[in-house]
Each structure stands twice: as structure tokens, then as C-alpha cells.
């Protein structure tokens, strides 16, 4: 049985193609810097938006047309949905997918039944993975939808909720391992606060660290070899999310001695909500060896919330790929489309248009980034800009030899600093534009 009978498998047709259901840039086997595009990009479809999104918003119910849905969250429906998902992913030609436990299987009347439901669906997911070769990029636990998590999970004031969350992550981690997941993600759901009048901030952060330490211990116990990823986000649903950005997360991990156990899953719309560019967040994470994976989407420049749109901005995709190429690849991570079609785009085929566009925008961005790197256009400029640190007083400071006394003696003798050079931002922006074709 086919759920997308009208849509043929999406193929690469080259930049001149006008076929809306063909790739113009994503050519999986094409080599870029000696590596196939497929391996640079490691695209993943996210189960929650693509197969569970209904288009509901605060002003109206879902209006997405999904002919295969029967309107229930039953186990039967969950099992049927696996067929829908794998047909979609196969036609699209993506190598990976990602899920929360509750996206793929319904909650039962108690934890035992909930776990049994997950096992039943995981079995079918495993079979489908084997049949199609599509793999699990990462799994995670939904610790925010059920009302028990109203005050958070690991940071809940209710110790029983912490215990429930621990049990849930234990199971989700084991299922991720069983399905060969290459990473496991921790996004801080409702870990944060709305008002400090009712919140013991230090105690909550201690609990969050304890929770993550317990997850690390269990990872080692069961022998999960994938990467643990924290996904920063500054706000929404809470006013202040503890994992607000990469710098805050790194400081938190270091405070609790956990920095060697985690990397970051950086999301474009979360970066911009934090008042940063995605370029900044990726560069920061990468600089400290913490860039593990990417949730690929975008916000709307005119709207201040997490709109989770599909990425189409070539400047952004090029900048992402500049950082990824710069660090020699995304490792066990990938590009997960944590993005949803607009409520107005309610037909199944819109899911294809959205992903085809996102994949093409990243493939195109990859080619642009590689061309910029080939000519060394930016790298050479940056190298020159810091040349005063490669010898003389700069090298003495960097190597830890110079003291304040020596700096004073040096400058007293010299009288004043060398003249500064222009930063040439406009020139560099023009240079980048030369490659955007
Ligand atoms: C929420 C978000 C999540 C995580 C996984 O903003 O990005 O979907 O990616 O829990
Ligand atoms: Co995300």
C-alpha cells in the first residue's frame, strides 16, 4: 500500500531543472572536498513535525490533510505510521531519521504499558530500517508534553517527576541503542522557570546535573557508544530555559565536570531566539570541540518565536557548512530538519516540497562554502589579521612568557602600538557574494 502514490522518488536533475520534485543541487554521490555530499550532510527527517504535526496553532486546530491518519493516538495507528514514514523517507532519499519516544508510540495507562508500546513500535522500526537502509541519527525522550512535566522534568520541584523522567530516559536510551542510533539528544523541554518567586535556581541546576550524570552512568552501563548531545534554547516554553545557548551550556557542563561526556546539537531558530546568529553558535561550539549535530531550520526575521521553518536562506546554509567543513565534518551528527510546513501548506505533497527545498539549500550552501574555502578567500584574510601574534610580543603573550612588567617595558621603549589595519567587513561581504551563485 502506498501513501504517496502521486509522488515519484526524488532524483537529482541538476541546477537547470524546473521539476519541483527534483533536486537541483543535492547529488548524493557528488564529491565535495573529496567526500560524497551524502556524507557531508547526513540529512535526517524528524518524526515529530513531519509525521505528528497537525498544523494546530493557538488560534485554531490542526488542518493538515493526512489521509492515512485515523484520528487516534492508538498503537495500531503508530504502527501504520511507521510505514508512512519509511515510504516518505525512502522516496526523499534521506539516510537518517530522529524521534522522541512519544512521537513513535503512545503513552499507556502506566509506565509499564507505555514501555511495552514503545517496544512494539521499535521492533517494527528496526525491521523497516533493515529493509530500507535508513538509519536512526538520534533518539530522545519527550519530557514536556504530558501534564506531569508541567514544572519541568529533571528540574521539577516534585522528586517523583524526576524519577519518572529518569525511567523514561533510561528506556528511550536503550531503544535508541537497540536501533543503532548514532546519538542521543537532551533538549531541555520545560527545564527552566517562569518566575524566580517560586524557584530555587541553584537546586534545580544541581538536579539537572545529577540527571545528566545518571544518564552518563547508564550510557556506560548499557554500552551505548553514540554521542550525547545537549540542544541549547533560551526560551519557550519557559521564560528562561537553563540551556540557554552554547556558552551557557559549556559553563554548566564544566561546573559539574560533565564537559567530556556531551556535545551540542545546535538549532538555527534557537540560536536566533538567543540573540545570536547560527554562525556564532556553531563557531563557538566548534571552537571548543563541542559541535556534535545540527537541527536545521530557520526563524522568521519579523517574528520573535520558534517558527521552525524549513531552511531556504543560502547565506545561512553556506555559513553552517563553512563551520562544518572547517572542523572536518559533523562526526556522528547530521542535519536534522527540525522544521514544520506552514499551517497553510496542508497537503502531503507540501512535506516533499519542504524537504526537497531544505536539502537543496544545504547542498547548495555546501558547494558555495567549499568554493570559498578552495580560494582561501576568508581564511587568508583572518590569518593576516592576527599576524602580530605569530612572532614578537604576541607570541610571547600566547606562550605565557610575557608578564605585565614586560609588556610595560616593551611599550615604554616603543612609545605606542603599531597602526591598526581595516577590518574590511564590506569587502569581505562582497567577496562572499561573488560565490553565491
Ligand atoms: C524544541 C526542539 C525539540 C528538540 C528535540 O524547540 O527543538 O524538538 O529538537 O526534543
Ligand atoms: Co530541535
Amino acid at each position: 500500500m502506498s501513501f504517496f502514490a502521486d509522488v515519484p522518488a526524488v532524483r537529482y536533475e541538476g541546477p537547470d531543472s524546473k521539476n519541483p520534485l527534483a533536486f537541483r543541487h543535492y547529488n548524493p554521490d557528488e564529491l565535495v572536498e573529496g567526500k560524497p555530499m551524502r556524507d557531508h550532510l547526513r540529512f535526517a527527517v524528524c518524526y515529530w513535525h513531519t509525521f505528528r504535526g497537525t498544523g494546530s496553532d493557538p488560534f485554531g486546530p490542526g488542518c493538515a490533510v493526512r489521509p492515512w491518519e485515523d484520528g487516534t493516538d492508538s498503537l495500531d495507528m503508530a504502527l501504520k505510521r511507521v510505514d508512512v514514514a519509511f515510504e516518505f523517507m525512502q522516496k526523499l532519499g534521506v539516510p537518517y531519521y530522529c524521534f522522541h519516544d512519544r512521537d513513535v508510540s503512545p503513552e499507556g495507562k502506566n509506565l509499564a504499558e507505555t514501555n511495552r508500546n514503545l517496544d512494539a513500535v521499535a521492533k517494527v522500526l528496526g525491521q523497516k530500517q533493515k529493509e530500507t537502509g535508513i538509519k536512526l541519527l538520534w533518539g530522545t525522550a519527550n519530557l514536556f508534553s504530558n501534564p506531569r512535566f508541567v514544572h519541568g522534568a529533571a528540574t521539577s520541584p516534585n522528586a517523583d517527576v524526576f524519577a519518572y523522567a529518569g525511567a523514561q530516559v533510561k528506556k528511550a536510551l536503550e531503544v535508541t541503542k537497540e536501533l543503532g542510533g548514532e546519538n542521543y539528544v537532551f533538549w531541555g523541554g520545560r527545564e527552566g522557570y517562569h518566575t524566580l518567586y517560586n524557584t530555587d535556581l541553584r537546586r534545580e541546576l544541581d538536579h539537572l546535573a545529577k540527571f545528566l550524570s545518571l544518564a552518563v552512568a547508564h550510557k556506560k552501563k548499557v554500552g551505548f557508544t553514540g554521542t550525547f548531545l545537549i540542544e541549547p534554547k533560551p526560551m519557550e516554553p519557559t521564560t528562561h530555559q537553563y540551556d540557554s545557548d552554547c556558552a551557557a551550556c559549556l559553563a554548566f557542563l564544566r561546573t559539574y565536570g560533565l564537559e567530556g561526556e556531551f556535545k551540542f546539537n545546535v538549532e538555527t531558530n534557537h540560536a536566533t531566539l538567543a540573540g545570536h546568529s547560527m554562525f556564532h553558535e556553531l563557531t563557538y561550539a566548534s571552537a571548543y570541540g563541542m559541535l556534535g549535530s545540527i537541527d536545521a531550520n530557520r526563524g522568521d526575521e519579523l517574528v520573535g518565536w520558534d517558527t521552525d521553518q524549513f531552511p531556504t536562506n543560502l547565506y545561512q546554509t553556506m555559513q553552517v557548512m563553512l563551520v562544518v567543513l572547517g572542523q572536518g565534518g559533523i562526526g556522528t551528527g547530521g542535519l536534522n530538519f527540525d522544521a514544520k510546513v506552514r499551517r497553510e501548506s496542508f497537503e502531503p505533497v507540501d512535506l516533499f516540497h519542504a524537504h526537497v527545498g531544505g536539502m537543496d539549500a544545504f547542498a547548495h550552501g555546501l558547494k558555495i562554502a567549499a568554493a570559498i574555502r578552495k580560494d582561501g578567500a576568508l581564511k587568508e584574510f583572518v590569518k593576516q589579521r592576527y599576524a602580530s601574534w605569530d612572532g614578537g610580543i604576541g607570541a610571547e603573550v600566547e606562550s605565557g612568557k610575557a608578564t605585565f612588567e614586560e609588556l610595560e617595558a616593551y611599550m615604554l621603549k616603543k612609545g605606542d602600538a603599531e597602526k591598526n589595519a581595516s577590518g574590511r567587513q564590506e569587502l569581505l561581504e562582497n567577496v562572499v557574494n561573488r560565490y553565491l551563485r
Side-chain angles (χ1 to χ4, degrees):
M1 158 148 199
S2 172
F3 301 98
F4 304 99
D6 301 344
V7 182
V10 183
R11 306 255 178 255
Y12 172 70
E13 290 185 3
D16 295 331
S17 173
K18 296 215 164 55
N19 175 359
L21 289 174
F23 296 118
R24 297 169 58 243
H25 295 279
Y26 182 57
N27 184 11
D29 296 320
E30 187 177 322
L31 297 183
V32 177
E33 297 195 1
K35 191 162 101 179
M37 270 192 186
R38 169 194 293 109
D39 299 340
H40 280 287
L41 298 164
R42 296 164 60 85
F43 288 126
V45 166
C46 88
Y47 217 94
W48 51 102
H49 286 312
T50 299
F51 307 117
R52 305 308 308 273
T54 62
S56 69
D57 71 11
F59 306 94
C63 60
V65 177
R66 302 289 182 256
W68 53 86
E69 291 286 334
D70 66 7
T72 71
D73 191 18
S74 68
L75 184 56
D76 281 347
M77 187 58 238
L79 293 169
K80 181 179 179 192
R81 216 178 271 123
V82 174
D83 288 337
V84 176
F86 276 80
E87 183 189 337
F88 177 82
M89 297 190 289
Q90 228 180 348
K91 284 198 160 158
L92 196 58
V94 281
Y96 288 101
Y97 72 112
C98 303
F99 65 75
H100 301 83
D101 47 5
R102 291 297 84 80
D103 306 332
V104 293
S105 75
E107 189 133 354
K109 61 179 182 304
N110 54 35
L111 181 61
E113 189 180 297
T114 301
N115 286 348
R116 279 198 299 279
N117 288 346
L118 182 54
D119 283 333
V121 180
K123 193 164 154 227
V124 180
L125 288 170
Q127 283 160 3
K128 278 285 177 186
Q129 287 183 206
K130 226 186 203 155
E131 246 172 75
T132 61
I134 294 169
K135 295 183 281 187
L136 179 61
L137 185 66
W138 50 262
T140 187
N142 179 327
L143 306 177
F144 43 90
S145 295
N146 189 289
R148 80 172 67 80
F149 299 120
V150 64
H151 300 303
T155 65
S156 172
N158 178 348
D160 261 14
V161 173
F162 181 105
Y164 193 102
Q168 198 180 321
V169 168
K170 173 180 179 290
K171 182 69 185 171
L173 178 57
E174 288 166 7
V175 167
T176 299
K177 175 180 184 276
E178 184 188 311
L179 292 173
E182 298 184 25
N183 308 269
Y184 184 90
V185 163
F186 296 84
W187 166 59
R190 296 180 190 274
E191 316 293 22
Y193 60 83
H194 286 290
T195 173
L196 289 170
Y197 291 157
N198 65 12
T199 301
D200 186 338
L201 178 143
R202 177 59 198 263
R203 203 164 183 186
E204 292 200 357
L205 284 166
D206 286 349
H207 292 168
L208 182 56
K210 175 65 79 188
F211 192 86
L212 296 176
S213 312
L214 293 172
V216 169
H218 196 67
K219 174 190 189 199
K220 290 181 179 158
K221 182 153 188 206
V222 299
F224 177 69
T225 53
T227 312
F228 267 8
L229 299 166
I230 290 188
E231 184 175 318
K233 185 176 184 181
M235 61 188 76
E236 203 203 81
T238 69
T239 308
H240 177 97
Q241 298 272 127
Y242 289 130
D243 293 336
S244 50
D245 64 6
C246 289
C249 286
L250 186 55
F252 168 82
L253 290 172
R254 283 192 179 141
T255 302
Y256 294 94
L258 287 166
E259 69 273 25
E261 306 290 351
F262 292 85
K263 288 189 175 182
F264 299 139
N265 181 39
V266 184
E267 178 164 327
T268 316
N269 207 165
H270 296 179
T272 50
L273 279 179
H276 303 307
S277 66
M278 180 62 164
F279 203 15
H280 165 89
E281 282 293 83
L282 293 173
T283 302
Y284 189 93
S286 183
Y288 290 97
M290 297 295 282
L291 173 55
S293 200
I294 288 166
D295 266 10
N297 61 16
R298 72 180 159 96
D300 185 305
E301 280 166 30
L302 302 177
V303 178
W305 68 84
D306 200 12
T307 59
D308 281 349
Q309 287 167 242
F310 274 83
T312 54
N313 181 326
L314 289 184
Y315 283 111
Q316 273 182 1
T317 60
M318 173 272 289
Q319 289 167 356
V320 168
M321 294 321 296
L322 265 183
V323 181
V324 171
L325 290 174
Q327 71 164 28
I330 195 69
T332 63
L335 293 170
N336 167 47
F337 290 110
D338 191 353
K340 59 186 176 208
V341 288
R342 299 302 86 194
R343 189 170 191 264
E344 299 81 354
S345 308
F346 46 76
E347 292 182 3
V349 71
D350 291 309
L351 295 171
F352 279 95
H353 291 308
H355 284 85
V356 166
M359 290 164 80
D360 252 356
F362 268 99
H364 198 169
L366 168 66
K367 290 193 281 187
I368 297 166
I372 292 174
R373 279 163 54 82
K374 184 159 176 260
D375 293 350
L378 300 176
K379 202 171 174 188
E380 206 34 55
F381 185 88
V382 175
K383 187 166 180 287
Q384 276 309 313
R385 191 160 185 243
Y386 292 86
S388 69
W389 294 88
D390 296 336
I393 194 71
E396 277 180 41
V397 172
E398 280 195 353
S399 67
K401 278 196 209 121
T403 61
F404 262 14
E405 280 91 354
E406 275 153 357
L407 296 187
E408 183 187 47
Y410 169 77
M411 229 357 111
L412 283 171
K413 191 161 162 215
K414 203 163 176 176
D416 201 351
E418 296 284 342
K419 274 217 269 306
N420 282 311
S422 168
R424 301 247 189 271
Q425 179 171 338
E426 297 76 7
L427 165 72
L428 296 171
E429 286 168 350
N430 297 347
V431 167
V432 164
N433 271 357
R434 252 193 254 147
Y435 291 86
L436 244 83
R437 39 192 164 99

